Amino acid sequence: MVKNEKRDNKYLVIGHDYNNGGIFAIFASVVSYIIWAERNGYIPVVDLQHHYNQYFKDCRVYLDNAWEYFFTQPTEYNLKSIQDGMNISISLSQFMPYEDSMFIPSDIPNSKNEVCKNKNAKDYQKYLTFNKEFEAKLTQKYEEIIGDKSNILGVLCRGTDYVSKKPYGHNIQPDVETVIKKVKEVIKEQKVEHIWVATESLEIYNRFVENFGDLVIPNPQYKYEETKDKYLYEISVNDGNHSYNLGCDYILSMYILSKCKYFIGGKTYGTMGAYLMSDMFKNQQYVYLFDCGFYGDITYNNIFEKIFSIKKIVTDKNTRTALTVFGIKFIRTKNNMETYRRN
């Protein structure tokens, strides 16, 4: 009997509902599954078609594989090519269930001179591959916006829902005035001729223009004027393919950041994208990342509380119960118990 390789392969279809996840947060989650799949004998196939995410084009929800708008599949297989497969598994409905295949923003070094200790970083870099059409678009936009400009200071400054929601376990972001102060210091110390500001907040962007004027290179990334208490994906904007364009704008903004000679910013999944695209800061002469701790950090008064304690923490504007057992934190939510091991 002739062996049918396609039918005999083991496939892991990767995807779950990301709801408010940004494009690089989705990327990080997907790649954690890709790494696990390859280490365990599965062929990974990314499915952002049958799972909700905020980047579908207009009228194409659940019709397109949104992953393929931007990225390539990790192998030659896609959803259509494995339809006849007999051994197909579906990934868990969790963001990053396998700690040994994780790479998160807090793993990024704070400066150019520090070494990344997370060995998964190289695998994440390997899988950050754009499809040919989108990569050509990035290159064209870069030439239109940057051209022959040099000595650019790239600044990543998050606001909106990231700051207002304070998502548990995410890196605390510096406030805009702290970042502006640091930018002024770097301008005095380095040969800065231009500033590239990557932010989704119109208020933050305007503060940079007020302080640095013509030094700021115009950034076409869509900027929100007011988000109040909403996540960005909950805000309706009457603009053709707005959700898809948000993804394009954000990746472009990080792409340009990755090529800036100097880099300042908070630690986010966008920072991770820029870090990987810059070949782990090899493109930069100077790097300064703010390390401000984490939303929902637990304060321990002594070593015994790290071994066992029950505390109340406030994050995501909710009060939660945190149980610590031998350094492992369990956070009580409405429906389940989340485990959070990494600081």
Side-chain angles (χ1 to χ4, degrees):
M1 185 176 180
V2 179
K3 182 177 180 181
N4 187 326
E5 184 176 340
K6 186 184 290 188
R7 290 172 66 88
D8 293 338
N9 285 336
K10 293 196 304 180
Y11 301 99
L12 180 68
V13 176
I14 300 168
H16 68 88
D17 292 346
Y18 288 95
N19 295 321
N20 63 323
I23 190 64
F24 281 111
I26 293 174
F27 165 82
S29 172
V30 166
V31 174
S32 74
Y33 280 103
I34 292 173
I35 294 171
W36 182 92
E38 296 206 327
R39 290 174 181 173
N40 289 274
Y42 289 86
I43 295 174
V45 179
V46 183
D47 178 11
L48 290 191
Q49 177 177 339
H50 303 101
H51 301 273
Y52 181 78
N53 64 87
Q54 60 177 313
Y55 296 107
F56 284 116
K57 293 180 179 178
D58 291 353
C59 304
R60 299 301 300 172
V61 177
Y62 303 130
L63 296 176
D64 294 341
N65 190 340
W67 176 264
E68 295 171 358
Y69 288 161
F70 314 108
F71 308 107
T72 62
Q73 287 286 349
T75 71
E76 72 270 25
Y77 296 97
N78 56 35
L79 291 176
K80 292 181 180 178
S81 65
I82 67 169
Q83 288 179 352
D84 296 331
M86 297 294 291
N87 197 345
I88 299 176
S89 299
I90 308 298
S91 66
L92 297 172
S93 185
Q94 297 178 37
F95 184 70
M96 282 186 181
Y98 310 112
E99 188 169 356
D100 61 353
S101 64
M102 289 171 57
F103 178 57
I104 57 178
S106 58
D107 292 324
I108 304 170
N110 295 333
S111 69
K112 183 176 175 64
N113 297 327
E114 294 182 25
V115 177
C116 181
K117 297 178 181 178
N118 189 321
K119 296 180 180 179
N120 292 323
K122 282 290 185 183
D123 285 324
Y124 274 71
Q125 184 183 35
K126 178 175 69 175
Y127 290 114
L128 184 49
T129 55
F130 301 113
N131 66 58
K132 290 182 180 180
E133 181 181 350
F134 187 67
E135 187 166 19
K137 183 176 181 178
L138 289 176
T139 302
Q140 178 185 346
K141 288 291 185 181
Y142 179 84
E143 290 301 322
E144 292 174 0
I145 295 170
I146 302 301
D148 59 357
K149 295 181 181 68
S150 59
N151 296 324
I152 302 171
L153 169 59
V155 182
L156 188 153
C157 193
R158 280 297 312 266
T160 63
D161 58 350
Y162 196 116
V163 174
S164 65
K165 293 291 188 179
K166 297 178 172 52
Y168 176 74
H170 286 54
N171 292 78
I172 296 173
Q173 298 304 296
D175 63 80
V176 62
E177 299 306 323
T178 299
V179 179
I180 287 174
K181 180 180 178 181
K182 186 64 182 178
V183 169
K184 291 178 178 178
E185 292 176 7
V186 175
I187 288 175
K188 290 180 180 179
E189 298 169 359
Q190 308 291 338
K191 297 179 180 179
V192 176
E193 297 180 16
H194 306 278
I195 301 173
W196 175 256
V197 182
T199 183
E200 78 296 348
S201 167
L202 182 60
E203 180 182 0
I204 289 175
Y205 188 79
N206 286 340
R207 288 293 294 130
F208 275 89
V209 174
E210 290 167 9
N211 277 269
F212 304 107
D214 292 340
L215 283 181
V216 178
I217 300 170
N219 184 344
Q221 178 181 355
Y222 185 87
K223 302 169 190 69
Y224 291 85
E225 186 170 0
E226 178 60 64
T227 61
K228 296 183 179 178
D229 200 30
K230 293 183 177 180
Y231 285 106
L232 296 187
Y233 81 96
E234 295 175 311
I235 299 173
S236 178
V237 177
N238 187 20
D239 185 17
N241 282 327
H242 175 72
S243 298
Y244 164 74
N245 289 331
L246 279 181
C248 294
D249 285 354
Y250 193 66
I251 293 175
L252 173 63
S253 203
M254 297 306 111
Y255 179 78
I256 294 175
L257 266 183
S258 74
K259 295 182 178 297
C260 292
K261 189 173 184 178
Y262 316 105
F263 189 116
I264 294 174
K267 290 189 175 185
T268 69
Y269 282 104
T271 314
M272 174 193 290
Y275 173 68
L276 298 175
M277 287 187 283
S278 71
D279 195 12
M280 302 182 183
F281 290 150
K282 287 184 181 178
N283 293 348
Q284 280 67 45
Q285 181 174 303
Y286 172 89
V287 174
Y288 183 90
L289 296 186
F290 292 90
D291 197 353
C292 307
F294 302 87
Y295 294 118
D297 264 353
I298 301 173
T299 302
Y300 299 105
N301 298 316
N302 53 60
I303 192 171
F304 300 106
E305 290 187 353
K306 291 185 178 181
I307 297 173
F308 181 84
S309 62
I310 300 175
K311 292 176 174 283
K312 297 288 186 181
I313 61 171
V314 178
T315 185
D316 299 337
K317 298 197 174 181
N318 294 311
T319 300
R320 303 185 180 188
T321 301
L323 168 66
T324 302
V325 181
F326 293 111
I328 299 176
K329 304 171 187 177
F330 299 89
I331 309 301
R332 181 69 182 177
T333 65
K334 291 181 179 179
N335 301 317
N336 61 357
M337 186 77 80
E338 297 176 351
T339 306
Y340 184 67
R341 292 183 173 86
R342 302 183 68 165
N343 292 320

